[in-house]
Amino acid sequence: MNSLYFTEEHQLFRESLRDFLNKEVGPHIEKCEKTGTIERFIWKKFGEMGFFGIRYPEAYGGLNLDLFYTVIFLEELQKIKSAGFAAAMWAHSYLAMTHLNAEGDERIKKDYLAPSISGDLIGALCITEPFGGSDVAGMRTTAIKNGDKYIINGSKTFITNGVYADYYVVAAKTNPELGNKGISIFLVDSKSNGVSATKLDKLGWRASDTAEIAFDNVEIPLENLMGEEGKGFAYIMQHFALERLIMAINAHARAEYAIDYTLEYMSQREAFGKTIDKFQALRHKIVEHATEIEHCKLFNYAAVYRLDKGEYVVKEATMAKLKSTKVADEAIYDCLQMLGGYGYMEEYPLARLFRDSRLGPIGGGTSEILKEILSKIIIDNKNYEPAVK
């Protein structure tokens, strides 16, 4: 336990969460991976245990805890042999619900945030589009005001929880001619007329449902606008720091899990009369990765600490995701190699880890985009400021 950031209460929470995941989630993981569905009773159990409400107000059933409880939640979810399952959980609680809490009015918080915390509703954040992923400002989905309603047209893709979600937090252009200053955020019930979801087939993250969502003249009431009209881009950018840190924490946690599993395997696997953890070339390869992972973890923790204190850590969060996802991919690649032919077998966790980890440098902003953002900050002296609601 890192006593600089984690207290005894944090550690007790970790032990409780780990026990819950082993008993209540572990037995269902293989079914989730095969079907691409997480059954509702599992979501409800998470809600009953308070895991969806870690950082949300007590008024809506949350626990209002510091961000290091979230770190624990993310880290432990990476150790149950399914990054897809983990993604479904954190995409609900830290992507969709973040916007409900930050931009939603009292009605939205009561009708959607509270049931999301209890595990009765599932949410999905809809930003990425078929013709524009990291280019948020280039989105084509529109929300045009017509009397007492908005009419939404367009499509979103690669949406985690997109098929089984009860509601979507949707970014759309209310004033297309204004570019990124014309984007707004809306709450859309997934059962609204004109909404359709198509499940996508993926390389990894098999347990989570990922969808392309189409909006065909979908009518929603004016009150489903979240925050101010035209401020959507700023809201999205403001929350990207948290999303990138989540992806960074996921990366260092799954890499750590891969190292731990591989060391256990190496301590038992024999070749040429001794266990393979005694071969210098393999030992040195492992410690190189372990060192890189530890560097990432400590940097990520420091960024989380500052974010928890209210600092706008866009540079640090971007660096964290860029580095941690690269380190995780490289570590898992070599860990699979340490298992030889067994690493390539589906009955061992490294094959799945290898596929699941590959999304790290892609989702939540590709590494290429992150490098350009950092170039603007470091080279061009661009200063990103938080949105003011």
Side-chain angles (χ1 to χ4, degrees):
M1 182 177 74
N2 189 316
S3 59
L4 182 62
Y5 301 112
F6 297 99
T7 64
E8 185 176 346
E9 286 75 18
H10 285 117
Q11 188 59 26
L12 291 172
F13 175 78
R14 187 186 292 276
E15 291 169 4
S16 174
L17 173 59
R18 187 176 296 168
D19 183 63
F20 169 82
L21 292 174
N22 287 335
K23 291 179 179 177
E24 303 293 344
V25 176
H28 305 287
I29 286 298
E30 295 310 315
K31 183 179 179 182
C32 293
E33 285 282 327
K34 285 182 173 65
T35 64
T37 305
I38 300 169
E39 295 184 68
R40 286 278 176 160
F41 74 89
I42 298 176
W43 293 89
K44 186 59 181 174
K45 284 184 177 180
F46 269 79
E48 289 171 349
M49 292 294 292
F51 296 136
F52 290 143
I54 290 172
R55 67 186 297 264
Y56 296 109
E58 294 179 16
Y60 308 104
L63 301 174
N64 197 30
L65 298 172
D66 67 64
L67 265 177
F68 282 96
Y69 284 93
T70 292
V71 170
I72 293 167
F73 179 73
L74 298 170
E75 288 180 334
E76 293 303 314
L77 276 171
Q78 291 298 311
K79 300 173 184 178
I80 58 170
K81 304 178 184 178
S82 176
F85 181 95
M89 298 297 118
W90 61 255
H92 165 65
S93 54
Y94 293 105
L95 298 188
M97 287 170 59
T98 290
H99 283 276
L100 294 185
N101 185 56
E103 288 93 53
D105 59 17
E106 187 61 30
R107 177 190 66 86
I108 287 173
K109 289 178 180 177
K110 179 181 176 183
D111 293 348
Y112 288 89
L113 180 60
S116 295
I117 289 172
S118 67
D120 292 302
L121 292 182
I122 301 171
L125 178 63
C126 299
I127 296 176
T128 301
E129 298 190 355
F131 301 101
S134 298
D135 182 14
V136 175
M139 71 174 59
R140 301 180 183 182
T141 299
T142 59
I144 305 303
K145 191 181 293 186
N146 183 9
D148 61 350
K149 61 179 71 73
Y150 286 97
I151 300 176
I152 300 179
N153 282 286
S155 60
K156 303 290 181 178
T157 196
F158 309 140
I159 306 305
T160 303
N161 296 333
V163 176
Y164 302 109
D166 299 293
Y167 65 88
Y168 303 126
V169 175
V170 180
K173 285 188 173 178
T174 40
N175 292 288
E177 68 280 359
L178 297 180
N180 64 22
K181 296 186 184 301
I183 296 172
S184 303
I185 300 290
F186 300 91
L187 178 73
V188 179
D189 192 291
S190 64
K191 296 179 182 60
S192 301
N193 290 332
V195 174
S196 60
T198 303
K199 194 167 189 174
L200 302 175
D201 192 16
K202 310 185 297 295
L203 171 69
W205 281 22
R206 307 289 296 186
S208 71
D209 75 272
T210 305
E212 182 165 328
I213 316 294
F215 301 95
D216 182 12
N217 289 316
V218 178
E219 297 183 358
I220 62 169
L222 295 180
E223 61 186 12
N224 279 25
L225 169 71
M226 297 206 297
E228 295 180 38
E229 190 174 283
K231 290 283 187 71
F233 185 79
Y235 298 147
I236 293 166
M237 293 299 109
Q238 181 160 322
H239 300 317
F240 265 166
L242 175 61
E243 181 179 357
R244 288 171 188 157
L245 276 179
I246 286 171
M247 297 285 280
I249 293 160
N250 290 340
H252 82 231
R254 67 174 168 269
E256 211 169 35
Y257 170 68
I259 292 284
D260 289 344
Y261 183 89
T262 303
L263 285 174
E264 177 66 22
Y265 175 87
M266 292 171 68
S267 72
Q268 299 175 27
R269 175 70 170 176
E270 291 189 7
F272 305 103
K274 58 183 177 181
T275 55
I276 65 174
D277 61 354
K278 298 298 190 289
F279 289 94
Q280 186 183 73
L282 305 187
R283 292 161 65 87
H284 288 189
K285 181 65 71 175
I286 286 289
V287 299
E288 285 176 0
H289 288 304
T291 300
E292 289 261 271
I293 294 164
E294 191 70 16
H295 273 247
C296 288
K297 182 164 70 169
L298 293 177
F299 183 88
N300 295 345
Y301 286 171
V304 168
Y305 179 82
R306 291 176 57 189
L307 181 62
D308 197 43
K309 298 298 181 184
E311 293 186 42
Y312 193 51
V313 292
V314 62
K315 182 178 79 170
E316 293 79 4
T318 304
M319 288 176 165
K321 181 186 182 297
L322 176 66
K323 182 66 174 178
S324 297
T325 55
K326 182 174 186 287
V327 165
D329 269 10
E330 292 172 349
I332 292 167
Y333 181 96
D334 281 341
C335 284
L336 190 153
Q337 182 74 17
M338 299 291 181
L339 269 67
Y342 292 109
Y344 206 65
M345 298 297 110
E346 289 293 340
E347 64 185 283
Y348 289 79
L350 266 300
R352 182 181 297 161
L353 262 175
F354 182 74
R355 293 194 307 274
D356 286 350
S357 183
R358 193 60 192 86
L359 190 59
I362 299 172
T366 66
S367 293
E368 291 73 21
I369 291 295
L370 300 189
K371 288 175 185 177
E372 185 55 30
I373 291 170
L374 288 170
S375 295
K376 290 178 180 178
I377 296 172
I378 296 168
I379 299 171
D380 302 335
N381 297 313
K382 181 175 177 59
N383 185 29
Y384 290 93
E385 298 290 344
V388 180
K389 187 178 176 183

